[in-house]
Amino acid sequence: MPKHLLLFVSLVGLAAPAFAVDPAIKKQLEKLDPSTRLEQSCDTEAMSRINQDSTGFKPDKVIAYTFKDPIAGDNSLQAPGAVFRSKGDWYHLSFTCITGPQHINVRQLDYQIGDKVPREKWEKYYLYD
């Protein structure tokens, strides 16, 4: 392959969005109102990223508002009181998410995983198995 073609193919890969959205998920997100779409896009991306990390967590649910209300901007969401469920346990989560203007494509996601939520607190915060 010629060098200039190889370079072009490499650059095209870099031009793609940082986090690609599955077409089925995108279709479902488009049905939501913009504020719900923002939160769901960020929750879904947080779950995906944690799942891909080498932490061993396998999240199947993220909730952005369990311990504190999230703070929404035009194309951003700060969720300092979020949680996620992995292998039957809930864990504290804090994240900041930036999306595109349609609130579907996540452009940046920064997160921190906290401690396990003790089972005796689940009922108080509406957490479940």
Side-chain angles (χ1 to χ4, degrees):
M1 182 180 283
K3 284 185 191 179
H4 65 281
L5 184 56
L6 182 59
L7 179 60
F8 175 74
V9 171
S10 298
L11 291 176
V12 168
L14 292 174
F19 310 112
V21 177
D22 178 271
I25 293 173
K26 181 180 179 195
K27 187 175 182 180
Q28 293 300 314
L29 288 171
E30 288 172 338
K31 295 177 183 179
L32 302 173
D33 66 86
S35 63
T36 303
R37 186 181 317 136
L38 173 66
E39 184 175 320
Q40 291 298 310
S41 292
C42 292
D43 288 354
T44 301
E45 187 60 37
M47 191 167 43
S48 176
R49 291 275 304 280
I50 294 168
N51 191 48
Q52 292 172 9
D53 285 351
S54 60
T55 59
F57 291 114
K58 297 294 178 202
D60 62 0
K61 181 75 177 162
V62 170
I63 303 172
Y65 52 83
T66 299
F67 293 102
K68 290 183 183 176
D69 288 335
I71 302 162
D74 290 340
N75 298 319
S76 66
L77 185 72
Q78 293 178 7
V83 293
F84 72 94
R85 184 176 61 196
S86 175
K87 302 176 187 174
D89 289 313
W90 289 94
Y91 297 86
H92 289 270
L93 176 67
S94 175
F95 68 82
T96 300
C97 175
I98 299 172
T99 69
Q102 297 301 313
H103 302 158
I104 291 177
N105 293 311
V106 174
R107 294 183 175 173
Q108 182 177 339
L109 178 77
D110 299 307
Y111 66 91
Q112 285 190 303
I113 295 171
D115 295 332
K116 184 188 293 189
V117 179
R119 190 170 279 272
E120 59 269 13
K121 291 188 177 185
W122 287 17
E123 187 175 341
K124 179 181 180 181
Y125 293 102
Y126 305 100
L127 301 175
Y128 49 89
D129 286 325

